[in-house]
Amino acid sequence: MQNLWKKKFTYKNISRVTDKDGARYYNCDGKKVPSVTTILDKTKSQKDKDSLNAWKEKVGHTEAFKIAKASMLRGDKMHKHIEDALHGKQALDLYDTIEIEKKMSQVIVNNALSKNLNEIWGCEAPLFYPNSHAGTTDLCGLYNNKESII
């Protein structure tokens, strides 16, 4: 996939700050704006919040924490494997990755990215809308020949 890289944009550096409540903000052109993740968290429906709390009560808070942490670690490993594939690198830590993580990553690379990704403009690219919000996108470029944030 390394041949898909096209330098189309110059991305500005933005710095991320997390406040004491865990909300993320970015410093964009000297202004503090909330992250997309923070906005989504704060605008989550009450039904979604209640469902998550009910699950935590059902499995217990300790077990819920363990499950959430394991899920986050699995996602991080998958993310790294996919990012390495986009950069044309072989992930060196795959020996530490359990089989399901390898398979899940390969499904995404083989069935979605390899077949439909036409150009890569950025990976882990900082994006922001002035005075409004900011974030880091996993991937942006042409997907099925359409400008896309992926």
Side-chain angles (χ1 to χ4, degrees):
M1 281 190 230
Q2 199 165 10
N3 63 334
L4 298 178
W5 284 85
K6 309 287 185 230
K7 176 103 171 131
K8 186 167 181 170
F9 301 102
T10 301
Y11 299 97
K12 287 186 175 185
N13 287 329
I14 57 176
S15 57
R16 186 172 77 183
V17 177
T18 304
D19 71 12
K20 61 181 176 170
D21 298 321
R24 290 188 230 170
Y25 294 90
Y26 287 89
N27 182 356
C28 303
D29 291 337
K31 302 212 167 121
K32 181 179 164 184
V33 296
S35 72
V36 171
T37 303
T38 294
I39 292 169
L40 292 173
D41 185 55
K42 294 195 181 289
T43 59
K44 196 180 301 179
S45 73
Q46 191 59 47
K47 180 182 175 186
D48 286 348
K49 291 176 189 177
D50 292 344
S51 294
L52 184 58
N53 287 330
W55 172 75
K56 287 177 182 177
E57 290 298 324
K58 180 180 176 182
V59 300
H61 288 272
T62 302
E63 184 64 17
F65 177 78
K66 282 188 211 173
I67 292 168
K69 186 174 180 179
S71 298
M72 184 178 66
L73 290 172
R74 176 178 285 161
D76 287 348
K77 287 180 181 181
M78 286 180 56
H79 189 274
K80 172 83 169 106
H81 178 64
I82 293 167
E83 190 176 336
D84 284 349
L86 293 170
H87 287 287
K89 296 186 229 169
Q90 181 180 1
L92 299 176
D93 63 348
L94 285 181
Y95 296 110
D96 297 333
T97 307
I98 61 171
E99 191 62 29
I100 190 71
E101 294 161 355
K102 284 190 230 178
K103 287 180 181 178
M104 292 166 72
S105 299
Q106 252 352 98
V107 166
I108 293 168
V109 170
N110 293 342
N111 296 338
L113 299 179
S114 293
K115 293 180 181 180
N116 303 308
L117 190 59
N118 311 102
E119 283 185 11
I120 300 170
W121 301 335
C123 182
E124 295 301 313
L127 302 176
F128 69 95
Y129 190 84
N131 303 315
S132 179
H133 57 278
T136 304
T137 182
D138 290 329
L139 178 62
C140 54
L142 290 179
Y143 188 85
N144 285 330
N145 294 309
K146 293 181 183 168
E147 294 180 349
S148 302
I149 295 177
I150 306 158

